[in-house]
């Protein structure tokens, strides 16, 4: 796009030079923001028809300039010279030579193309970026709509779209530089509005835009969405912010990635509509009746947190103290659920089935053992909506709850690996009580390794003081065997939900 813009500037320079009375010895200056812009402008200008190299010194030493005829009859020329990588003394020398009008400098005027203000060349030179000059930003802003209309290259549809974009960009009293017009005038010079131009102007590509008779409303919405998604990328939690704008896993991933600008606007509109419709769909897990509909067994049901998202992640312990070979666990909701929205990962129970019945998610277990825990993680995503996704971490223990009663309500269940699950306890738990026997063993614990591989018989009870526990990041896990049942434990950081001391 910049190449087209520099070409536009070159054409504008030539047109201007032939419409005003430039006199021999006149000096002008055109300022850019940096060296690279100066170089690119000079490079593009050198390719114009009628532009030729001009040797600044009679001995043909030193940097070359560019020149073109202003008035063929008088052989008047405008010499364009870059101030990049030359000394102020060199520029003063050129200024003096243009004033002397001798040798190659006869019938010439001089234009310095610079990236900085130099008193040696600015003094007495006319800035063509100021009022009345061809590169005055105020004039470029005032004339941009008319320039779009006059274009013989742009199609009518492209003109309509570009005029709306221009109105959005240049509406207001903001201070503008010459390069702020690069995108729009570059498009005008190129003569077409391509997909990449939409991105450059702050819009998503929109393949369906041409089918609309009135495009302004759709373009306004497009630009607003582009700005919102761009702002979301200015924060660390990009994905969570995008989920508040659109719905759809792939779309959310695409818009959260580095190439988010390349997403077609049709997809974004579809994602916005899905999000709108999804807000009308709800599903609530009914924890209050969970025990009631599973009346033949004792179940602990504990949420990860108190927020809506936290309530959708559940830690379930089923106590199979009757050593049943088969169990059916039902999870109740306030609306009908369907099999097609069951999604499972890291499933580690080989003898189970997951299904639905009316408003219940149903998990059937078989071949349960009497001397080892069983675990499974089940996920359900209602209508495939991310905000209606539920995760159930299920642990089946072949004994009564009084053996781990002290863990409630602080425990978590982490299902991991083949036939592997951890009971997680918070890092700020003062005392761990395991077992229900009458023979009490007290232990002061400062490292989790002191708890590892402990074995408690049916008459044993462990009371471990954890108030001085120091965690080792490499080893926070331990295993305690209750009777013949090994239980894996892990300590988790509970900074966000400190346990309140018990009132005795």
């Amino acid at each position: 796009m910049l190449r087209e813009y520099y070409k536009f500037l070159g054409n504008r320079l030539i047109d201007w030079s032939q419409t005003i009375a430039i006199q021999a010895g006149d000096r002008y200056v055109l300022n850019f923001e940096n060296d690279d812009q100066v170089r690119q402008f000079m490079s593009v200008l050198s390719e114009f028809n009628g532009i030729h190299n001009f040797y600044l010194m009679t001995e043909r030493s030193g940097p070359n300039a560019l020149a073109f005829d202003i008035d063929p009859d008088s052989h008047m020329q405008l010499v364009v010279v870059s101030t990049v990588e030359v000394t102020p003394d060199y520029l003063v020398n050129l200024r003096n030579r243009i004033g002397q009008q001798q040798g190659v400098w006869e019938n010439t005027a001089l234009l310095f193309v610079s990236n900085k203000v130099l008193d040696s060349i600015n003094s007495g030179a006319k800035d063509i970026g100021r009022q009345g000059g061809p590169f005055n930003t105020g004039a470029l802003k005032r004339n941009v709509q008319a320039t779009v209309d006059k274009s013989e290259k742009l199609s009518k549809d492209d003109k309509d779209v570009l005029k709306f974009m221009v109105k959005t960009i240049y509406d207001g009293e903001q201070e503008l530089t010459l390069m702020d017009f690069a995108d729009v005038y570059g498009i005008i010079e190129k003569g077409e509005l391509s997909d990449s131009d939409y991105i450059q102007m702050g819009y998503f590509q929109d393949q369906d835009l041409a089918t609309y008779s009135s495009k302004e409303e759709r373009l306004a919405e497009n630009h607003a969405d582009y700005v919102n998604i761009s702002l979301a990328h200015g924060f660390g939690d990009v994905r969570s912010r995008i989920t508040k704008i659109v719905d759809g896993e792939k779309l959310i991933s695409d818009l959260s990635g580095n190439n988010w600008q390349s997403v077609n606007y049709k997809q974004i509109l579809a994602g916005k509509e899905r999000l709108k419709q999804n807000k009308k769909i709800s599903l609530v897990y009914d924890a209050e009746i969970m025990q009631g509909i599973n009346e033949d067994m004792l179940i602990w049901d504990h949420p990860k947190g108190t927020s809506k998202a936290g309530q959708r992640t559940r830690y379930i312990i089923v106590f199979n103290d009757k050593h049943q070979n088969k169990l059916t666990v039902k999870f109740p909701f306030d609306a009908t659920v369907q099999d097609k929205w069951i999604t499972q990962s890291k499933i580690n129970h080989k003898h189970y089935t997951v299904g639905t019945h009316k408003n219940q998610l149903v998990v059937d277990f078989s071949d349960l053992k009497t001397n080892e825990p069983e675990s499974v993680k089940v996920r359900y995503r209602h209508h495939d909506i991310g905000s209606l996704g539920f995760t159930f971490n299920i642990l089946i223990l072949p004994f009564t709850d009084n053996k781990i009663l002290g863990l409630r309500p602080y425990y978590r269940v982490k299902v991991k690996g083949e036939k592997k699950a951890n009971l997680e306890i918070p890092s700020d738990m003062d005392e761990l009580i395991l077992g229900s026997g009458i023979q009490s063993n007290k232990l002061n614990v400062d490292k989790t390794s002191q708890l590892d591989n402990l074995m408690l018989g049916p008459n044993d009870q462990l009371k471990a003081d954890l108030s001085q526990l120091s965690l080792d990041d490499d080893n926070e896990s331990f295993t305690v065997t209750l009777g013949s049942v090994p239980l894996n434990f892990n300590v988790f950081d509970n900074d966000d939900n400190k346990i309140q001391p018990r009132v005795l």
Side-chain angles (χ1 to χ4, degrees):
M1 186 62 66
L2 282 177
R3 183 174 181 78
E4 284 80 7
Y5 182 52
Y6 291 125
K7 189 175 179 181
F8 163 80
L9 295 179
N11 283 322
R12 192 170 178 86
L13 173 65
I14 293 171
D15 291 344
W16 166 81
S17 69
Q18 295 174 349
T19 58
I20 67 166
I22 295 179
Q23 303 296 319
D26 283 349
R27 287 183 289 115
Y28 300 92
V29 63
L30 170 61
N31 290 307
F32 285 98
E33 297 170 22
N34 56 56
D35 289 357
D36 189 56
Q37 291 169 7
V38 173
R39 291 191 185 95
Q40 290 190 62
F41 174 74
M42 295 294 289
S43 175
V44 172
L45 186 64
S46 69
E47 299 173 3
F48 276 50
N49 291 331
I51 299 288
H52 58 271
N53 285 333
F54 184 90
Y55 294 99
L56 298 174
M57 307 297 179
T58 54
E59 62 274 14
R60 296 196 174 193
S61 64
N64 288 345
L66 302 174
F68 60 91
D69 292 337
I70 300 172
D71 184 354
D73 294 335
S74 64
H75 302 291
M76 182 72 176
Q77 294 185 101
L78 181 64
V79 178
V80 185
V81 60
S82 165
T83 68
V84 173
E85 297 176 353
V86 295
T87 66
D89 288 344
Y90 179 84
L91 298 174
V92 170
N93 190 359
L94 295 183
R95 183 194 66 186
N96 294 337
R97 285 174 180 258
I98 194 70
Q100 295 167 0
Q101 289 290 297
Q102 296 176 1
V104 296
W105 293 98
E106 188 176 355
N107 284 337
T108 60
L110 185 60
L111 170 63
F112 292 107
V113 181
S114 179
N115 69 310
K116 51 193 171 184
V117 176
L118 296 171
D119 291 339
S120 56
I121 61 172
N122 279 45
S123 179
K126 299 174 184 178
D127 187 349
I128 61 175
R130 294 188 179 276
Q131 190 69 31
F135 303 122
N136 173 254
T137 56
L140 289 172
K141 178 181 176 181
R142 287 192 302 272
N143 297 332
V144 63
Q145 293 276 7
T147 307
V148 174
D149 272 330
K150 291 177 183 177
S151 172
E152 297 179 356
K153 297 178 183 178
L154 290 168
S155 68
K156 183 182 182 305
D157 283 344
D158 282 351
K159 286 181 180 180
D160 291 342
V161 173
L162 191 54
K163 283 192 293 184
F164 179 84
M165 291 178 173
V166 165
K167 182 180 178 182
T168 302
I169 294 173
Y170 302 120
D171 186 23
E173 299 298 324
Q174 70 270 39
E175 194 74 25
L176 297 169
T177 68
L178 187 60
M179 297 309 294
D180 287 328
F181 297 93
D183 295 331
V184 61
Y185 280 108
I187 292 169
I188 295 170
E189 180 65 33
K190 184 175 61 171
E192 65 174 344
L193 192 60
S194 63
D195 287 346
S196 60
D197 295 331
Y198 277 81
I199 298 172
Q200 203 69 33
M201 299 290 283
Y203 294 78
F204 291 101
Q205 306 161 33
D206 191 353
Q207 296 170 351
D208 292 345
L209 184 61
T211 63
Y212 286 78
S213 56
S214 178
K215 302 178 178 62
E216 289 197 0
E217 185 176 339
R218 186 175 174 103
L219 283 167
E221 185 178 1
N222 184 331
H223 183 62
D225 289 334
Y226 189 96
V227 170
N228 286 338
I229 292 172
S230 177
L231 289 173
H233 279 263
F235 298 88
D237 54 343
V238 179
R239 187 179 180 88
S240 65
R241 290 175 180 271
I242 298 297
T243 59
K244 297 177 182 178
I245 302 173
V246 298
D247 183 69
E249 278 300 305
K250 186 178 186 307
L251 178 59
I252 290 171
S253 295
D254 289 344
L255 289 176
S256 301
N258 293 330
N259 296 322
W260 62 271
Q261 300 98 326
S262 63
V263 176
N264 191 274
Y265 192 56
K266 180 179 180 180
Q267 296 174 264
I268 295 171
L269 286 177
K272 288 173 63 179
E273 182 61 26
R274 281 196 300 271
L275 184 64
K276 181 180 178 181
Q277 295 302 319
N278 290 347
K279 288 181 178 179
K280 299 177 183 179
I281 301 172
S282 66
L283 184 70
V284 177
Y285 172 67
D286 196 346
E288 292 185 1
I289 67 170
M290 170 66 173
Q291 183 64 72
I293 66 170
N294 294 281
E295 57 184 355
D296 57 338
M297 67 190 80
L298 177 61
I299 296 177
W300 287 3
D301 180 2
H302 181 50
K304 181 178 181 179
T306 57
S307 67
K308 289 183 179 180
Q311 290 289 317
R312 294 196 302 268
T313 296
R314 316 293 300 192
Y315 304 116
I316 309 294
I317 300 180
V318 181
F319 294 95
N320 184 23
D321 57 314
K322 298 177 182 176
H323 297 157
Q324 298 182 71
N325 182 258
K326 297 180 179 181
L327 284 177
T328 296
V329 184
K330 304 169 187 176
F331 298 90
F333 295 90
D334 68 342
T336 301
V337 292
Q338 297 184 37
D339 288 3
K340 62 182 178 181
W341 294 314
I342 298 171
T343 61
Q344 297 141 271
S345 65
K346 295 184 179 179
I347 297 299
N348 64 9
H349 199 294
K350 295 180 179 179
H351 307 286
Y352 77 94
T353 59
V354 183
T356 58
H357 177 68
K358 295 182 179 179
N359 66 332
Q360 296 176 359
L361 184 68
V362 181
V363 185
D364 290 308
F365 294 93
S366 62
D367 196 26
L368 294 172
K369 305 294 190 251
T370 61
N371 61 348
E372 63 183 56
E374 296 288 1
S375 58
V376 65
K377 180 183 289 186
V378 176
R379 290 191 173 101
Y380 179 80
R381 188 182 172 98
H382 198 51
H383 285 266
D384 201 28
I385 299 171
S387 60
L388 296 181
F390 296 82
T391 301
F392 298 94
N393 300 274
I394 307 169
L395 176 64
I396 300 179
L397 297 177
F399 50 67
T400 60
D401 68 330
N402 61 359
K403 291 186 178 296
I404 59 169
L405 198 60
L407 299 184
R408 191 175 189 181
Y410 311 124
Y411 75 93
R412 291 182 181 179
V413 175
K414 184 175 183 179
V415 178
K416 47 183 270 187
E418 180 67 21
K419 299 184 79 67
K420 180 83 170 178
N422 281 4
L423 266 172
E424 296 194 321
I425 59 174
S427 57
D428 58 343
M429 192 174 190
D430 286 336
E431 186 178 47
L432 173 65
I433 301 176
L434 297 174
S436 56
I438 58 174
Q439 186 172 329
S440 179
N441 299 310
K442 295 184 178 181
L443 184 65
N444 294 321
V445 177
D446 54 26
K447 294 183 180 179
T448 54
S449 58
Q450 295 173 256
L451 296 169
D452 196 25
N453 295 320
L454 290 179
M455 302 186 69
L456 303 180
N459 295 321
D460 293 330
Q461 184 184 65
L462 171 68
K463 291 185 177 181
D465 184 349
L466 306 182
S467 60
Q468 302 302 314
L469 179 63
S470 176
L471 296 180
D472 181 351
D473 291 339
D474 295 328
N475 185 20
E476 297 176 4
S477 302
F478 58 94
T479 300
V480 176
T481 301
L482 295 178
S484 61
V485 182
L487 287 183
N488 298 312
F489 290 86
N490 195 70
V491 182
F492 71 89
D493 190 353
N494 196 45
D495 286 343
D496 295 333
N497 188 26
K498 290 291 186 183
I499 295 178
Q500 297 301 319
R502 287 186 196 170
V503 179
L504 300 178

